[in-house]
Amino acid sequence: MPNGQNAEQGPPAGGQWYPPEWPDRIRALADGALTPVEPKRAATVMLLRDGDTGPTVHMLRRRASMAFAGGAYAYPGGGVDPRDEDHLIAWAGPTRAAWAERMGTDPATAQAIVCGAVRETFEEAGVLLAGESADTVVGDTTGEDWEAARAALVARELSFAEFLDRRGLVLRSDLLGAWARWITPEFEPRRYDTWFFVAALPEGQRTRNASTEADRTVWIRPADAAAGYDKGELLMMPPTISTLRSLEPYASAAGALAAAAAQDLTPVLAQASFEGGELVLSWPGHDEFTKRVRLGLGRAGGAPA
């Protein structure tokens, strides 16, 4: 469930956590002693459904024992399977070329990332954005046969392209909208180039906690989730709270999906600098996440004060 940034144990800033080892790693990067890890491609989906007071979004809380983002709220998501580049799958909606132009990639990469978004939503929430034709959607993904296929996908015993082929399904790329792109900072040991998508819950389907990495799932209004973050009650990483806030203006899931075409997909990458004994962390265009960390004396870095 990559979300564009790691989050280990550290003191909260609002509902945001900063790893205490960051100052040392940033110093090492600045000194040339640390070589940035190549980020892995990832995709995550903000799944929406309409409620009485506007759309709600499906969120998962990662188990506190998880090494990556333990205790943080996030969306269904994960790494992209490279196998989905190599097989021309049944595809509905905007063409691969259109997706590539929108995302600034080549068609094969665009296909793999979109497949990753749809697959991870099925793996972690039990929701499948696919149908038997270009204008239908699967209505029920419960049952032993569906669960066996989902488990095979999770274990990577089955590629998503093979899964669709075997069931005669068409990937409904028109049910997704690319929303944002965040890249894990260069000083992190685990890095992801994460694409955020928005989608509406298909009629007849329902979510469930199918992820072994999550101990809780909720449907929550973006404004309520953001308020929980602001109070320090819900832990989130910058990409999560940023995308939540960006969903607040929309009165319906369809409205948010329609607005996806105008969203800025410029990658967001954290920057770090040392100023007067402080480490300054910032995310360009997202001033609310700027963090000043006072460094301990007599060492390269220290835990945030």
Side-chain angles (χ1 to χ4, degrees):
M1 193 183 305
N3 221 345
Q5 178 192 332
N6 197 355
E8 306 293 349
Q9 295 299 310
Q16 181 184 356
W17 288 62
Y18 287 90
E21 69 273 15
W22 271 10
D24 290 323
R25 295 190 61 85
I26 293 169
R27 180 75 73 183
L29 180 66
D31 292 343
L34 178 67
T35 301
V37 176
E38 185 71 20
K40 298 179 179 179
R41 295 176 302 178
T44 189
V45 176
M46 300 179 289
L47 192 62
L48 303 174
R49 72 178 183 188
D50 291 328
D52 294 337
T53 57
T56 57
V57 61
H58 181 67
M59 302 192 75
L60 303 84
R61 184 177 67 184
R62 293 178 60 78
R63 296 183 185 278
S65 59
M66 296 297 295
F68 177 83
Y73 280 79
Y75 314 111
V80 168
D81 187 344
R83 293 178 294 178
D84 290 334
E85 289 186 20
D86 304 326
H87 185 87
L88 198 63
I89 66 172
W91 186 277
T95 65
R96 295 165 182 79
W99 274 102
E101 182 177 0
R102 170 74 176 116
M103 299 169 69
T105 67
D106 60 86
T109 298
Q111 172 180 296
I113 294 170
V114 171
C115 279
V118 176
R119 174 180 50 76
E120 287 289 339
T121 305
F122 179 54
E123 288 183 10
E124 297 198 335
V127 171
L128 184 59
L129 304 176
E132 294 181 351
S133 66
D135 55 3
T136 62
V137 186
V138 172
D140 184 5
T141 60
T142 61
E144 293 183 3
D145 58 335
W146 285 105
E147 178 56 27
R150 192 194 67 79
L153 286 169
V154 172
R156 296 298 184 263
E157 297 168 355
L158 181 69
S159 74
F160 192 62
E162 292 169 333
F163 163 74
L164 293 176
D165 277 352
R166 291 180 184 183
R167 290 182 171 267
L169 296 175
V170 176
L171 185 147
R172 291 287 306 275
S173 80
D174 55 317
L175 300 182
L176 281 172
W179 195 266
R181 182 184 181 187
W182 289 66
I183 302 176
T184 309
E186 293 181 335
F187 44 82
E188 278 282 36
R190 284 186 293 267
R191 302 188 64 211
Y192 298 94
D193 182 351
T194 304
W195 294 85
F196 287 75
F197 294 85
V198 65
L201 179 69
E203 185 175 354
Q205 294 194 39
R206 61 181 185 272
T207 58
R208 59 191 177 91
N209 184 8
S211 172
T212 59
E213 299 178 353
D215 61 10
R216 183 188 183 201
T217 63
V218 295
W219 282 98
I220 187 170
R221 293 174 62 245
D224 292 340
Y229 167 90
D230 291 335
K231 295 175 183 177
E233 297 171 353
L234 301 182
L235 299 180
M236 299 179 202
M237 294 174 286
T240 308
I241 182 59
S242 172
T243 48
L244 272 174
R245 295 200 199 284
S246 69
L247 290 173
E248 290 186 39
Y250 302 100
S252 67
L257 185 59
Q263 297 301 309
D264 184 3
L265 299 183
T266 302
V268 179
L269 177 65
Q271 297 178 351
S273 61
F274 293 96
E275 299 177 8
E278 287 185 329
L279 168 62
V280 181
L281 297 169
S282 63
W283 280 256
H286 300 269
D287 292 343
E288 74 165 295
F289 305 126
T290 298
K291 175 74 172 179
R292 290 182 174 273
V293 180
R294 188 171 63 253
L295 303 181
L297 298 176
R299 54 176 300 194

